[in-house]
């Protein structure tokens, strides 16, 4: 087998949650270029359709499905819908996430729960529901989008809920990787730094000193630079 044949995903079905922008859409495009059929899922169905249409226009295969990852019923319905249209999900990219910048003493309960509902519970629901189908088939790949915030405390902004949620993501990844390896399922995570997306205001002057000047290349990361790190 030639080197690049190892990277071919022809016939595979890949679900990318939160795949309409940023890192998610970059990974969706890359998976499509490798031959996978893409399912872009998020609450913003119009954004999902636009992202899927862009992939199709470039010669790839993609569909858009509305999804709130905090709702088990919606995930189960998505699995049935995708199965009927494309076949079972071979690759799951858990990319949906939220973050709020707020000092710990000012974090309201609803904001704390919102972060964990999406970043941890939503990732867990998707992994468990889709993981069951992968265990049955003894095949699958799950890529979780974690963060450097799982291991550091960011400055100058404060984001205790996000940091704690991403630490949970990384250790859950280790747990699933160990448990599901015997079923030929690989579970990995990547830990992006500050990436130029709508979620990270990298151009805000108050963050420049810490986010940019402390970075060796003096610039934020780009969404497309995460592609190689998320090899499936």
């Amino acid at each position: 087998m030639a080197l690049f044949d190892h990277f071919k995903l022809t016939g595979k079905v890949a679900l990318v949650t939160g795949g309409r922008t940023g890192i998610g859409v970059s990974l969706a495009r890359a998976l499509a270029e490798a031959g996978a059929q893409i399912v872009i899922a998020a609450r913003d169905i119009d954004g999902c359709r636009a992202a899927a249409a862009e992939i199709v226009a470039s010669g790839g295969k993609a569909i858009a499905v509305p999804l709130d990852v905090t709702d088990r019923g919606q995930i189960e319905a998505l699995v049935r819908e995708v199965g009927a249209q494309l076949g079972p999900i071979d690759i799951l990219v858990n990319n949906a996430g939220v973050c709020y910048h707020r000092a710990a003493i000012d974090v309201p309960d609803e904001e704390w729960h919102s972060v964990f509902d999406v970043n941890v519970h939503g990732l867990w629901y998707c992994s468990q529901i889709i993981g069951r189908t992968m265990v049955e088939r003894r095949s699958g790949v799950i890529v979780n989008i974690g963060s450097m915030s799982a291991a550091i405390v960011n400055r100058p902004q404060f984001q205790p809920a996000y940091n704690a949620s991403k630490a949970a993501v990384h250790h859950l990844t280790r747990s699933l990787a160990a448990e599901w390896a015997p079923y030929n399922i690989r579970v990995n995570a990547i830990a992006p730094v500050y990436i130029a997306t709508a979620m990270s205001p990298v151009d805000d002057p108050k963050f420049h000193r810490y986010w940019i000047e402390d970075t060796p290349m003096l610039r934020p990361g780009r969404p497309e630079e995460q592609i190689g790190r998320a090899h499936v």
Side-chain angles (χ1 to χ4, degrees):
M1 182 180 290
L3 173 62
F4 287 103
D5 287 340
H6 290 281
F7 296 86
K8 289 183 178 178
L9 300 173
T10 305
K12 300 293 185 181
V13 176
L15 167 64
V16 183
T17 68
R20 63 181 184 82
T21 60
I23 294 173
V25 75
S26 290
L27 296 179
R29 290 171 186 150
L31 292 166
E33 288 181 23
Q37 302 176 86
I38 308 302
V39 181
I40 295 180
R43 285 178 285 196
D44 176 10
I45 186 58
D46 290 335
C48 292
R49 287 175 180 144
E54 181 182 320
I55 290 173
V56 172
S58 299
K61 298 178 181 179
I63 63 171
V65 180
L67 177 66
D68 179 347
V69 297
T70 68
D71 186 328
R72 276 187 174 272
Q74 289 191 30
I75 300 167
E76 291 166 347
L78 178 146
V79 171
R80 291 192 296 270
E81 180 178 347
V82 171
Q85 289 193 53
L86 305 177
I89 296 168
D90 302 290
I91 301 162
L92 167 62
V93 179
N94 280 310
N95 174 72
V98 296
C99 178
Y100 302 100
H101 294 170
R102 199 182 303 278
I105 59 174
D106 297 324
V107 175
D109 287 348
E110 60 270 20
E111 196 170 277
W112 176 273
H113 291 298
S114 172
V115 172
F116 270 79
D117 282 345
V118 175
N119 296 5
V120 182
H121 303 153
L123 181 147
W124 164 247
Y125 297 156
C126 288
S127 297
Q128 186 186 49
I129 292 167
I130 296 169
R132 285 192 182 112
T133 70
M134 292 178 173
V135 168
E136 290 172 0
R137 302 195 317 276
R138 293 184 172 268
S139 177
V141 175
I142 298 175
V143 178
N144 295 327
I145 308 305
S147 173
M148 66 173 179
S149 303
I152 70 162
V153 176
N154 307 77
R155 297 173 65 209
Q157 82 283 14
F158 299 111
Q159 49 189 48
Y162 183 82
N163 294 354
S165 74
K166 289 301 182 178
V169 165
H170 282 274
H171 207 53
L172 176 57
T173 299
R174 297 182 187 99
S175 298
L176 296 180
E179 183 174 340
W180 290 346
Y183 299 98
N184 195 36
I185 300 169
R186 288 182 288 112
V187 186
N188 293 296
I190 63 174
V193 296
Y194 294 113
I195 306 296
T197 67
M199 190 171 174
S200 297
V202 294
D203 295 323
D204 190 322
K206 69 175 174 286
F207 297 136
H208 196 274
R209 159 67 182 83
Y210 299 92
W211 291 17
I212 307 301
E213 291 182 23
D214 281 353
T215 302
M217 295 186 75
L218 299 177
R219 67 167 178 81
R222 303 185 183 102
E224 60 270 19
E225 290 173 329
Q226 307 307 302
I227 293 170
R229 301 176 66 205
H231 168 53
V232 298

